[in-house]
Amino acid sequence: MEAIIEKLNDAENLFYNRQAFLRFNQFKIDRTLNTLSAIDQLIFSTVPRLLHVNQKGLPGFVDHENVPCGIMNFSMNHECLVATEKLFPNIIIRRQKNLTPVIHTALLMGSLGSIAQSKKSDLDYTLLVDKNSFTENSLKLFQKKLNLIETWTWDNYNLESHFFINDYEEVKNNIFGESDSESTGSALAKLLKEEMYRTMIIVTGKIPFWLVAPVDCDDKSYDGLYQKLTSGQTLLKKEEFIDMGNVDDISQGEFFGGSIWALIKSFKSPFKTLMKMGVLEEYMFGDTKSNLLCHQVKGKYFNGTAYLDIDPYLGMFERVQQFFKESKSEEDVDTLRHAFYLKVGTQISVEEYNKGSENWKKETLIKMIKEWGWTAEKIDRVNQYADWQMMQKVELGNRI
């Protein structure tokens, strides 16, 4: 595959990259849906339609004229149609009159679609908009609409959903502001963007151009290719894409700032933070140019790697584990494995350890823990973490 791609011109390369990304993105959507409960699947499929209209009787309705809504390039698929009919059987959802969509892209990021996703994982949407298209009042109305949808999912179904509004030009320039509870400021913006590109699922709307640009694109090459797209020199439609900016490399200063931020967060989520600190340390001492984790994921779906073998969370763990093996003690490696197993939150029983499982997450974990040399007795002990005595938890915390 790689040998073929090398012979393609830019236009052909981008065309095939788009096809590869769309297939991988759909796989992640399907995996996300398969992990959610039946009712949460319906909500996941319905949210885009709720964002696309402002209609009385539907969650998110704001009783005011000219409430901003709508998603660019939105088209209702079969799953969305069925889900809305099941949730709102007595409502005929109509086309929004004189609609000027304000949402360029609706995406999800984080653990969704990975081995770390659970049935209780939040739906944290990032909505890319042009804030210049809003007045102060219309932005308040838009935020009110989003808050009403969040309230509906929680009050009726105990599902946490959150909508974070980001100006796409600010994201392009690595300005994230208060994008979420892990907001970092400008010093860490590229690290946040790297994580976004590595884990994002495009729910609907425009595709960030970086996701189809070649893996080894430096800033100059990236800008040149995007210029070709916008001037009609490719096989793609410029209206299908949005420019969130390139991520090619990250400076040492950003790694230092990231480490400070991760240390502060460690009190809230120590298992997750150990892996993030490990990534930062590996980045600091390794070759990162076009070799960040997001490049690793992109290179795999471009080159035809089996989708089951492309998991952003697993990829992060495996890269940190290799770095720990080369630079740290066996005890440190074992501590990392404890943190990963406990963070994933999927328990392997002794019977499953011995006989296997049909669940893809469990089968993946079983293969991993056997490679680690963990015994069934050790697994059983780690499974009892919630019931450990305080001193045992403190001892693991000190190791982390």
Side-chain angles (χ1 to χ4, degrees):
M1 182 72 175
E2 289 180 73
I4 295 173
I5 289 178
E6 285 176 1
K7 297 176 183 177
L8 301 179
N9 61 37
D10 289 339
E12 293 169 326
N13 206 345
L14 289 173
F15 178 82
Y16 286 111
N17 288 352
R18 171 189 175 275
Q19 297 298 98
F21 167 73
L22 289 175
R23 288 192 293 266
F24 179 57
N25 190 66
Q26 187 58 52
F27 168 79
K28 290 203 292 182
I29 289 174
D30 294 341
R31 175 175 275 188
T32 298
L33 287 168
N34 289 336
T35 306
L36 294 172
S37 66
I39 188 63
D40 290 351
Q41 289 177 13
L42 295 179
I43 295 168
F44 179 95
S45 298
T46 299
V47 164
R49 203 169 183 190
L50 298 180
L51 294 171
H52 198 62
V53 299
N54 185 55
Q55 181 175 326
K56 191 172 183 179
L58 291 176
F61 172 69
V62 178
D63 191 7
H64 195 283
E65 289 186 2
N66 301 319
V67 176
C69 64
I71 307 167
M72 295 183 184
N73 302 338
F74 173 77
S75 61
M76 187 165 52
N77 58 27
H78 177 71
E79 290 78 12
C80 180
L81 179 63
V82 170
T84 49
E85 288 179 348
K86 285 184 176 180
L87 289 173
F88 312 109
N90 300 319
I91 299 177
I92 298 174
I93 303 179
R94 298 177 175 85
R95 287 178 177 270
Q96 193 77 19
K97 292 182 179 179
N98 303 317
L99 177 64
T100 302
V102 296
I103 301 170
H104 290 249
T105 302
L107 62 90
L108 292 160
M109 61 176 283
S111 63
L112 290 177
S114 78
I115 196 170
Q117 179 186 348
S118 71
K119 288 187 181 293
K120 287 300 177 184
S121 291
D122 298 350
L123 297 181
D124 289 339
Y125 294 87
T126 293
L127 305 180
L128 297 178
V129 304
D130 176 5
K131 285 189 176 177
N132 290 326
S133 67
F134 291 85
T135 64
E136 183 179 351
N137 187 55
S138 67
L139 187 58
K140 287 180 180 177
L141 291 172
F142 184 53
Q143 185 65 67
K144 183 178 181 180
K145 176 179 179 63
L146 302 179
N147 293 344
L148 288 170
I149 297 174
E150 292 173 351
T151 301
W152 169 71
T153 67
W154 178 251
D155 288 354
N156 292 278
Y157 305 106
N158 272 357
L159 174 65
E160 275 201 59
S161 62
H162 306 282
F163 296 94
F164 304 108
I165 304 170
N166 282 104
D167 181 87
Y168 71 87
E169 280 291 338
E170 290 182 352
V171 172
K172 177 182 176 180
N173 293 310
N174 301 319
I175 301 169
F176 285 87
E178 297 182 6
S179 60
D180 60 19
S181 60
E182 299 184 3
S183 182
T184 60
S186 60
L188 303 167
K190 274 194 177 179
L191 288 168
L192 182 55
K193 188 184 283 187
E194 185 278 323
E195 184 179 357
M196 285 183 74
Y197 281 149
R198 174 177 15 121
T199 65
M200 67 169 53
I201 296 172
I202 307 304
V203 180
T204 186
K206 296 181 179 181
I207 302 168
F209 182 69
W210 185 90
L211 295 170
V212 304
V215 175
D216 59 352
C217 243
D218 59 22
D219 291 344
K220 183 178 180 180
S221 299
Y222 175 91
D223 291 341
L225 285 174
Y226 193 73
Q227 177 62 35
K228 284 187 176 183
L229 170 73
T230 56
S231 59
Q233 298 179 56
T234 72
L235 303 172
L236 307 179
K237 296 178 180 179
K238 63 180 180 180
E239 295 81 9
E240 191 178 3
F241 296 89
I242 190 168
D243 182 11
M244 287 174 57
N246 191 36
V247 172
D248 179 42
D249 204 353
I250 299 178
S251 71
Q252 292 292 317
E254 285 167 317
F255 294 137
F256 178 76
S259 300
I260 300 299
W261 167 61
L263 279 172
I264 293 170
K265 282 188 58 62
S266 66
F267 298 103
K268 179 182 176 183
S269 182
F271 303 139
K272 178 180 177 180
T273 300
L274 177 61
M275 282 182 285
K276 286 202 170 187
M277 286 288 288
V279 169
L280 289 167
E281 190 176 0
E282 197 274 346
Y283 280 175
M284 287 177 75
F285 295 104
D287 177 19
T288 56
K289 185 167 178 57
S290 297
N291 190 35
L292 300 165
L293 282 164
C294 59
H295 298 111
Q296 189 174 307
V297 170
K298 184 161 68 168
K300 286 182 177 180
Y301 66 73
F302 281 175
N303 293 327
T305 300
Y307 295 155
L308 289 172
D309 296 328
I310 312 175
D311 186 302
Y313 211 85
L314 272 178
M316 176 174 67
F317 167 75
E318 289 167 353
R319 186 151 164 175
V320 175
Q321 179 181 237
Q322 186 59 38
F323 175 68
F324 273 32
K325 283 181 178 179
E326 295 170 356
S327 62
K328 300 186 184 298
S329 68
E330 273 297 318
E331 183 181 36
D332 290 337
V333 175
D334 191 59
T335 301
L336 175 70
R337 291 167 175 168
H338 274 78
F340 173 80
Y341 182 82
L342 291 168
K343 176 64 181 73
V344 167
T346 299
Q347 293 192 348
I348 305 299
S349 68
V350 173
E351 181 180 6
E352 289 168 334
Y353 178 88
N354 291 322
K355 297 182 179 180
S357 171
E358 293 183 0
N359 179 284
W360 72 270
K361 283 188 182 181
K362 292 193 173 189
E363 193 56 38
T364 300
L365 284 171
I366 290 167
K367 181 181 177 183
M368 293 174 72
I369 59 184
K370 286 185 176 180
E371 289 175 353
W372 300 345
W374 283 19
T375 63
E377 291 72 22
K378 183 168 184 174
I379 284 292
D380 191 48
R381 185 170 67 254
V382 178
N383 285 343
Q384 305 302 318
Y385 175 78
D387 299 321
W388 281 13
Q389 293 181 0
M390 181 56 69
M391 288 308 298
Q392 291 176 293
K393 292 184 177 180
V394 168
E395 191 271 334
L396 178 59
N398 287 338
R399 287 169 60 187
I400 290 174

